[in-house]
Amino acid sequence: MYDTLIRGARVLDGTGAPAIHADVALADGRIAAIGDLSGARARDEIDAAGLVLAPGFIDVHTHDDTNVIRAPQMLPKLTQGVTTVIVGNCGISASPVTLKGEPPDPMNLLGGAQDFRYPTFKAYTEAVNAAQPAVNVAALVGHTALRSNHMDRLDRGATAAEVDAMRAQLRKALEHGAIGLSTGLAYASAFEASTDEVKALATELDAHGALYTTHLRSEFAEILEAMQEAFDIAVHARVPVIVSHLKCAGAGNWGRSSEVLSLLDTAGKMQAVGCDCYPYSASSSTLDLKQVTTDFEIDITWSTPHPEMAGRTLADIAAAWDLPLLDAARRLQPAGAVYHGMHEDDVQRILRHRLTMVGSDGLPNDPLPHPRLWGAFPRVLGHYSRDLGLFPLEEAVHKMTGLSARRFGLAERGEVRAGWHADLVLFDPATIRDTATFRAPVQPAAGIAGVWVNGVLSYRDGQPGPRRAGRWLPRAGDLRAGFAAPDLS
């Protein structure tokens, strides 16, 4: 007697292989059997005729660090079929952190000072386990978080003593299962960090088989130089590198995605590289004066001094105040913004690339979040795969499951395989779509029939289950093994 039997599904196993029609049985949190199980019985049997069964989606780029503890239901992710989140991206992480006051920008994206209660990485992992979120959690350590722990101000490079202190703290986190180090070198809180500062920290990753991820120092005109810096850091540290939310930002940068991807491919012949991408032509972060422009629309998502302005465009606010755009932005700070600063052709070209994984980069603490928080994964499956035919469904699933699990060393996850953890999503390929919009972003996706996390039915037909079954996932083995051998031809 199995715990669950999903009958007659079209199974996409997460490897990119064509679908098979099969029954899938679950027992004790694992996938117990796959095939013709017509004679078997289970406590819960589900008719999956006409539906696709795939591995649970892995969101490789999130800022859910504090939300997996404060809001463990994790509905923005669970409702779109996500069963595992990678936190600690863009140089900002909830741990290890000891604040001296309010969290610096952009660490404030994760919450207020009261939400940073984890001075050690071990304390954070224990808090995640105690909260038992509805999804699995693995974590990177943020470079900016380390800087804020050991530096009196962040608008300068670190001293040798400060670098040593950061290295010691990173080393301790790696010993407790951190996946690797992330940087957000574009932000003012890390922009003055030298390449050598990051190289010194990244050196700690080698002994633990961990990886390096980076929000590049520039995603605008200097993107190629910023990518080369990232590749140089990884070569120095002898570790894989993943470029976060790869994009060509700014109107002057539109159309350069072929050039950007060519450099990625060239680097990939000599070292282990990868990237992630979200399926939208707009970004979202804190309101950055360097990005204020009339070239494209900027939406304000929150403002501490002027919360009433959330939901309006910066141009509209500036006109109402009779101020230049930049002065209006200064008056709104600290604030959050959505920047409609990418070209759709570049988004599609990057999303289609063989090295690209899917990550939402959602900001769960925004009052008016970018719709990627609730809709990124169904948008890939519905809009880009089914409607536009950008890639076949099996490839779309691979980009958000098997490829991601291998890159981040998530042992026995990311594929529908007998004996592996039962993280699964059941969806209707004809109706799956994102319903979240920029004006109404808090909307669950359509077409998700069921989500299992570690064998527990956690979401079904629009309703969360009574049990949360997510787990803390420590780094498993040497992550270099999850990257294909370099192509030296």
Side-chain angles (χ1 to χ4, degrees):
M1 176 73 73
Y2 295 114
D3 295 331
T4 303
L5 187 52
I6 305 166
R7 293 194 180 276
R10 178 183 163 198
V11 179
L12 287 172
D13 66 4
T15 67
I20 62 169
H21 282 84
D23 306 324
V24 177
L26 315 182
D28 299 323
R30 300 266 180 168
I31 299 169
I34 304 169
D36 181 358
L37 305 176
S38 53
R41 293 293 176 266
R43 295 176 183 86
D44 184 21
E45 298 194 14
I46 294 174
D47 180 2
L51 303 178
V52 168
L53 185 70
F57 306 140
I58 298 165
D59 193 342
V60 299
H61 192 102
T62 84
H63 296 289
D64 294 322
D65 304 51
T66 60
N67 294 75
V68 294
I69 298 168
R70 292 186 291 125
Q73 300 81 8
M74 292 298 293
L75 290 179
K77 298 303 167 68
L78 199 61
T79 58
Q80 57 179 310
V82 170
T83 57
T84 298
V85 297
I86 309 294
V87 303
N89 286 281
C90 295
I92 59 176
S93 58
S95 73
V97 171
T98 305
L99 292 177
K100 304 173 183 70
E102 290 299 313
D105 185 314
M107 286 176 63
N108 52 4
L109 291 172
L110 304 183
Q114 71 279 2
D115 300 310
F116 291 85
R117 297 176 289 167
Y118 317 106
T120 66
F121 193 79
K122 182 174 183 287
Y124 178 73
T125 66
E126 290 171 348
V128 170
N129 281 328
Q132 193 169 50
V135 298
N136 303 309
V137 182
L140 298 153
V141 173
H143 170 228
T144 298
L146 296 173
R147 297 186 103 229
S148 73
N149 293 341
H150 299 288
M151 298 177 66
D152 58 347
R153 44 182 253 264
L154 302 180
D155 59 347
R156 62 172 177 83
T159 66
E162 289 164 344
V163 169
D164 287 344
M166 287 190 274
R167 288 184 65 168
Q169 204 163 35
L170 173 60
R171 190 181 315 126
K172 184 67 70 173
L174 292 166
E175 291 168 359
H176 282 96
I179 291 176
L181 172 72
S182 78
T183 55
L185 299 175
Y187 292 106
S189 50
F191 189 77
E192 296 303 324
S194 67
T195 304
D196 286 342
E197 175 182 320
V198 183
K199 282 182 175 179
L201 287 171
T203 301
E204 295 292 336
L205 304 172
D206 182 22
H208 298 273
L211 55 75
Y212 174 57
T213 76
T214 180
H215 176 150
L216 296 169
R217 198 178 290 271
S218 175
E219 297 171 327
F220 293 82
E222 301 83 8
I223 186 171
L224 298 182
E225 293 84 355
M227 289 175 69
Q228 191 58 57
E229 178 188 36
F231 301 149
D232 291 347
I233 289 167
V235 166
H236 174 81
R238 302 188 301 184
V239 297
V241 57
I242 293 172
V243 179
S244 297
H245 44 58
L246 184 60
K247 66 173 75 72
C248 294
N253 229 20
W254 291 350
R256 295 186 66 198
S257 53
S258 295
E259 191 180 355
V260 165
L261 292 171
S262 177
L263 180 57
L264 190 73
D265 281 331
T266 298
K269 293 180 180 180
M270 302 302 296
Q271 63 186 116
V273 301
C275 67
D276 65 69
C277 172
Y278 48 80
Y280 298 86
S281 59
S283 62
S284 183
S285 187
T286 52
L287 180 57
D288 179 7
L289 298 182
K290 292 187 296 184
Q291 296 191 53
V292 171
T293 179
T294 58
D295 291 343
F296 49 79
E297 194 169 83
I298 300 172
D299 302 328
I300 300 302
T301 58
W302 59 272
S303 168
T304 298
H306 295 283
E308 72 280 5
M309 293 301 176
R312 299 178 65 175
T313 68
L314 178 58
D316 181 39
I317 295 167
W321 286 346
D322 193 24
L323 288 175
L325 216 58
L326 198 57
D327 289 346
R330 288 193 182 97
R331 184 182 287 189
L332 288 164
Q333 286 186 308
V338 167
Y339 306 89
H340 296 268
M342 290 176 270
H343 196 285
E344 178 64 18
D345 290 350
D346 291 320
V347 173
Q348 291 189 26
R349 192 173 289 115
I350 292 170
L351 189 59
R352 190 171 58 229
H353 193 270
R354 62 185 178 83
L355 293 177
T356 303
M357 299 172 285
V358 176
S360 72
D361 197 15
L363 301 177
N365 297 309
D366 269 16
L368 285 170
H370 188 302
R372 64 194 182 187
L373 177 67
W374 287 80
F377 291 82
R379 183 171 176 80
V380 172
L381 299 173
H383 178 64
Y384 283 106
S385 178
R386 181 191 61 227
D387 299 342
L388 297 186
L390 193 63
F391 30 56
L393 189 61
E394 57 265 29
E395 184 179 345
V397 168
H398 175 60
K399 286 176 170 293
M400 52 184 71
T401 59
L403 179 61
S404 307
R406 288 207 313 273
R407 292 288 193 257
F408 284 89
L410 305 179
E412 299 183 341
R413 298 182 195 271
E415 295 180 22
V416 182
R417 186 186 295 196
W420 283 30
H421 298 284
D423 293 342
L424 300 166
V425 57
L426 187 67
F427 65 89
D428 185 339
T431 63
I432 190 166
R433 64 184 179 90
D434 57 313
T435 67
T437 67
F438 287 100
R439 297 303 169 213
V442 182
Q443 305 286 340
I448 300 289
V451 181
W452 289 262
V453 180
N454 294 308
V456 174
L457 184 57
S458 302
Y459 183 76
R460 185 173 186 178
D461 297 328
Q463 297 297 321
R467 292 174 55 199
R468 301 196 304 267
R471 300 174 184 168
W472 165 255
L473 301 182
R475 185 187 66 259
D478 191 324
L479 303 194
R480 283 168 286 217
F483 289 75
D487 178 9
L488 302 178
S489 61

